[in-house]
């Protein structure tokens, strides 16, 4: 069984940067990703059979990503693509490659950069065909050049609420409207963001460019409005949106309905904390970075020995921070394994530390300006499906909330969270319902016990006939 | 031979819910200052006992430190195991073993009769289905065990059939065709373990039992001088006087009993369970293995639940037992060997529960002679037998002085 100096889980910006940097300093590195190509969400490559012809069309990020991926592919890092992580135990990552049986990758150091996923928001009609997340829409156009519809409406919040529609529109999508739940940035917020801008000018330029694109393409964008429902029989035919107060609660009587055939929902992201939780890494709660996030020191070390984290899976901070943190963690790991001196470490790290702190400041300012408000959890009505895997409606959940403050109990009684998505779609909503019902901050609601596998895996790939009960049970009594 | 009935509905996705929920405010009501009986533990045995006692008019208070039904009672797979199984066998079976197995099988039949009526008794849908159960054999030796156990079961009155070859393949075409044989027991089946205990508690509450969750017993004090009360129970929410106490705390039964100087012959182990994605419903009956660790069934939610005695890592309360990958790997291998189509079905989640067992696998049930008034309700095959032994104990406790209701070999002071 091979032991790697470093195993990296997740081939997005953070993971690629970390793996490439570590390899450059002489470490034996493996990188694991579930997709067939590297790049993560932001640097997602075009699908098989597609070719990039015009740089303008795909945007600047694409080439930044290509550069980073090339750096990795020209290194000696061992790639494990189309590979899922089953679990992590005894300093080994149990992986399952496409179609093959599970195997173990032993590591001296582990870096987890699993990325984030779209925040699911439950509102009447959110499970109708034609309603998709912003991330899914982005993947569709990036990899397959498919637009999600011919009349696309975009509801969301955050800096990407501008970027996604602009990007989609750049691909030729017909966007009929955009609503942003947060208010138009006021003078204070704008100032705070501006103060953080020093060293982040290119990001501001991007934002301005998106804004300009939307204006010049006459795409109507309104602030302080939220999605109320997606309407239609077999698929979305129209959407209703309404004005909200400062807590994003709907102001009755302000509803408007628009005919659409696709609705993209983008209210930010949740970090994928599953693997950190499985390893029992210490977490903290910060709403503006996506809720429960792993605690990291300045180098990216978690509270568990030899385990590091980087990227949006450790709290939403964007690709620039992700790359800087990935490189910083890799340098620290190289130093800990004696590949570079402490002096070299501080020299090499200086530039990345600067980027990390500047970008973090900027990202904080942005995140705070667009922090999610509790009204987002109050859109569902009694008949709204909360757990879409198990088809559990709000009306079945409400009575259970009377008797418990533990989401695991809600899960046990209603099956909410037992399905294929492993609770990713409904657990935050359940926590919010409990928090609201019992007057407890959402940050203090316990989460279901972490269990493997972190993604569904076929039994045939897990099965190992060499593990027999005779061999395995030392003492059955 | 009758063909195993197959339900052809594509999806049986039906969510069953409790008939009612004890509200948090009721759970948090003040502790009563006194109660004839105090039950420690809100698992299946404790909740069932509170129901049967309340039904007989006994004043009863149940104390649970967490939420109801959270440990073994809610983490097992909900199967009725009536057939003689692997853990009941010894290496060299003697006539005495045969006799013991026949006795144990009779007990299972009593339990089967309770499960027959439980939904009527509690007026609730508890997901009870009598689907039949397979016990499969891979080798000729294992097939012989199936035949031997069938003979004992017949004496005890439990119907089972042993099938081999084409008869087996016709009866259960989805099982691996090269199995050496199968036993089929039409009485076996399952209930939803997440609903049974809480429903007992809810019905008990309606009958006047006081159910208190988030109430942890810290100390059991034996007292004298207050007529009618033999114990003072100290909890994190105050004290309560009682005449009789029942320790129904499952895995923690020995720990709590040791406070009173009782040394119970029991041990703990973590058990691993797998659950898959849903697939079209076809596997009506539960599947067990006579020689390897496997229990397998398709639930009414169409998922497959796979377990059978693979270990998980022991942790201290309130941590949940954590899982070993090897348990999943070994368990999946047996499951795929027996039911080959499972190889393409995805594992969605594993979990684990604590399993408390006695050294002879018999229940510990009844009143201690060393400490009169102190009762224990603990049973290793807890889900199948739990409600039945609770009813047995309730009968004993509601007829003071009653003897002979509880088999001698369940004795607390053994």
């Amino acid at each position: 069984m091979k032991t790697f100096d470093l195993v990296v889980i997740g081939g997005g910006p953070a993971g690629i940067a970390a793996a490439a940097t570590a390899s450059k300093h002489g470490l034996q590195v493996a990188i694991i990703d579930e997709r067939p190509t590297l790049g993560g969400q932001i640097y997602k490559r075009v699908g098989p059979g597609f070719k990039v012809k015009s740089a303008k069309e795909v945007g600047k990020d694409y080439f930044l990503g290509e550069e980073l991926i090339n750096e990795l592919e020209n290194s000696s890092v061992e790639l494990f693509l189309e590979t899922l992580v089953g679990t992590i135990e005894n300093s080994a990552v149990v992986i399952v490659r496409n179609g093959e049986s599970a195997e173990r990758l032993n590591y001296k150091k582990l870096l987890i950069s699993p990325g984030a996923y779209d925040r699911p928001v439950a509102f009447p009609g959110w499970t109708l065909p034609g309603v998709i997340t912003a991330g899914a829409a982005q993947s569709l156009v990036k990899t397959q050049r498919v637009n999600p519809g011919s009349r696309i409406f975009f509801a969301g919040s955050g800096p990407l609420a501008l970027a996604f529609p602009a990007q989609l529109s750049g691909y030729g999508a017909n966007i009929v409207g955009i609503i942003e739940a947060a208010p138009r940035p006021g003078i204070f917020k704008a100032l705070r963001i501006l103060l953080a801008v020093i060293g982040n000018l290119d990001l501001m330029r991007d934002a301005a460019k998106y804004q300009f694109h939307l204006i010049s393409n006459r795409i109507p964008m309104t602030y302080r409005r939220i999605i109320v429902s997606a309407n239609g029989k077999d698929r979305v035919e129209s959407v209703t949106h309404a004005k909200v107060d400062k807590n994003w609660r709907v102001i009755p009587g302000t509803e408007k309905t628009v005919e659409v055939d696709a609705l993209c929902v983008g209210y930010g992201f949740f970090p994928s904390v599953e693997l950190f939780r499985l390893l029992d890494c210490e977490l903290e709660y910060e709403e503006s970075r996506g809720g429960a996030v792993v605690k990291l020191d300045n180098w990216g070390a978690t509270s568990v020995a030899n385990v590091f984290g980087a990227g949006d899976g450790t709290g939403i901070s964007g690709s620039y921070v992700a790359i800087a943190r990935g490189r910083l963690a890799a340098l620290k790991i190289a130093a800990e394994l004696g590949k570079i001196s402490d002096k070299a470490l501080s020299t090499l790290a200086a530039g990345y530390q600067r980027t990390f702190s500047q970008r973090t400041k900027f990202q904080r300012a942005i995140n705070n300006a667009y922090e999610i408000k509790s009204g987002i959890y109050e859109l569902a009505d009694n008949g709204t499906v909360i757990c879409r895997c198990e088809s559990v409606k709000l009306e079945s959940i409400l009575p259970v909330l009377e008797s418990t403050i533990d989401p695991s109990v809600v899960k046990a009684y209603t099956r909410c969270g037992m399905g294929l998505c492993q609770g990713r779609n409904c657990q935050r909503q359940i926590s919010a319902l409990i928090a609201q019902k019992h007057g407890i901050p959402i940050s203090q609601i316990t989460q279901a016990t972490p269990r493997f596998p972190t993604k569904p895996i076929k039994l045939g790939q897990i099965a190992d006939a060499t593990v027999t009960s005779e061999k395995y049970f030392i003492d059955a009594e | 031979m009758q063909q195993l009935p197959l339900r052809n509905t594509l999806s049986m996705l039906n969510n069953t819910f409790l008939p009612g929920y004890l509200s948090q405010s009721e759970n948090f009501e003040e502790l009563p200052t006194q109660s004839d009986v105090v039950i420690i533990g809100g698992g299946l045995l404790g909740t069932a006992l509170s129901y049967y006692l309340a039904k007989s008019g006994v004043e009863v208070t149940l104390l649970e430190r967490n939420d109801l039904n959270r440990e073994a009672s809610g983490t097992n797979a909900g199967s009725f195991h009536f057939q003689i199984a692997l853990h009941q066998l010894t290496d060299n079976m003697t006539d005495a073993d045969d006799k013991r197995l026949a006795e144990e099988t009779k007990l299972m039949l009593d339990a089967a009769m309770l499960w027959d009526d439980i939904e009527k008794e509690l007026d609730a849908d508890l997901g009870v289905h009598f689907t039949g159960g397979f016990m499969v054999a891979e080798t000729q030796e294992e097939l012989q065990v199936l035949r031997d156990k069938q003979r004992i079961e017949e004496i005890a009155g439990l119907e089972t059939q042993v099938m081999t070859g084409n008869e087996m393949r016709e009866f259960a075409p989805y099982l691996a065709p090269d199995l050496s044989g199968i036993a089929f027991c039409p009485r076996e089946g399952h209930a939803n373990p997440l609903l049974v205990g809480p429903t007992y508690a809810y019905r008990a509450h309606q009958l006047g039992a006081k159910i208190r969750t988030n109430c942890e017993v810290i100390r059991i004090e034996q007292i004298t001088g207050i007529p009618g009360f033999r114990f003072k129970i100290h909890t994190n929410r105050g004290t309560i006087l009682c005449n009789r106490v029942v320790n129904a705390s499952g895995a923690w039964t020995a720990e709590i009993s040791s406070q009173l100087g009782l040394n119970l012959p029991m041990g703990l182990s973590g058990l691993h369970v797998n659950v898959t994605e849903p697939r079209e419903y076809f596997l009506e009956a539960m599947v067990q293995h006579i020689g390897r660790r496997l229990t397998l069934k398709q639930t009414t939610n169409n998922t497959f639940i796979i377990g059978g005695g693979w270990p998980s890592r022991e942790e201290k309360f309130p941590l949940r037992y954590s899982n070993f990958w090897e348990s999943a790997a070994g368990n999946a291998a047996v499951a795929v060997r027996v039911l080959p189509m499972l190889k393409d079905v995805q594992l969605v989640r594993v979990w684990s529960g604590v399993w408390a067992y006695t050294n002879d696998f018999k229940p510990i049930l009844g009143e201690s002679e060393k400490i009169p008034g102190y009762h224990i309700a603990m049973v290793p095959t807890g889900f199948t037998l739990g409600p039945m032994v609770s009813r047995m104990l309730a009968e004993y406790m509601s007829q003071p002085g009653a003897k002979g209701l509880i088999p001698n070999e369940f004795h607390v002071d053994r």
Side-chain angles (χ1 to χ4, degrees), chain B residues 123-167:
Chain B
D123 189 22
D125 181 354
L126 301 174
V128 176
H129 295 100
F130 295 96
T131 56
F134 292 116
M135 188 71 75
V136 308
E138 277 182 75
T139 63
Q140 288 308 310
E141 294 77 45
E142 286 171 356
L143 176 59
Q144 190 53 48
V145 177
L146 291 188
R147 297 195 195 282
D148 289 346
K149 90 173 182 53
Q150 197 241 348
R151 186 176 40 78
I152 299 168
E153 285 160 347
E154 199 179 316
I155 295 166
L158 182 68
E159 185 200 341
T160 51
Q161 300 151 351
V162 176
M163 288 170 262
T164 58
N166 283 339
E167 188 189 13

Side-chain angles (χ1 to χ4, degrees), chain A residues 189-238:
Chain A
K189 264 178 196 161
L191 265 178
R192 258 188 22 224
I193 293 175
L194 268 177
L195 280 175
V197 154
I198 307 159
N200 293 293
L201 271 171
D202 48 342
L203 290 185
M204 280 311 276
R205 245 187 343 256
D206 284 354
K209 216 170 64 195
Y210 292 139
Q211 184 93 52
F212 177 74
H213 181 97
L214 297 178
I215 293 167
S216 61
N217 285 276
R218 296 174 199 282
I219 298 173
M221 170 154 180
T222 35
Y223 287 90
R224 281 213 147 146
R225 294 190 75 84
I226 204 166
I227 187 75
V228 174
S229 65
N231 322 306
K233 201 168 158 280
D234 299 318
R235 56 166 295 114
V236 60
E237 290 159 13
S238 68

Side-chain angles (χ1 to χ4, degrees), chain B residues 7-81:
Chain B
R7 263 178 261 182
N8 290 320
T9 34
L10 185 65
S11 171
M12 294 182 47
L13 203 72
N14 63 337
N15 290 305
T16 307
F17 301 104
L18 289 182
Y21 300 88
L22 296 167
S23 79
Q24 185 81 356
S25 55
E26 274 165 330
N27 283 334
F28 271 117
E29 267 176 30
E30 285 291 293
L31 274 191
T33 54
Q34 57 183 65
S35 180
D36 177 359
V37 175
V38 164
I39 299 170
I40 305 171
L44 179 58
L45 270 71
T47 54
L49 183 63
S50 71
Y51 169 78
Y52 291 116
L53 283 176
K55 198 180 160 196
S56 315
V58 176
E59 182 190 35
V60 55
T61 303
L62 182 149
L63 310 178
E64 162 57 48
R65 67 175 155 185
N66 195 353
D67 279 292
L68 297 173
N69 207 52
R70 295 293 297 143
E71 298 293 342
S73 304
T75 53
N76 73 87
S79 305
F80 307 146
H81 297 289

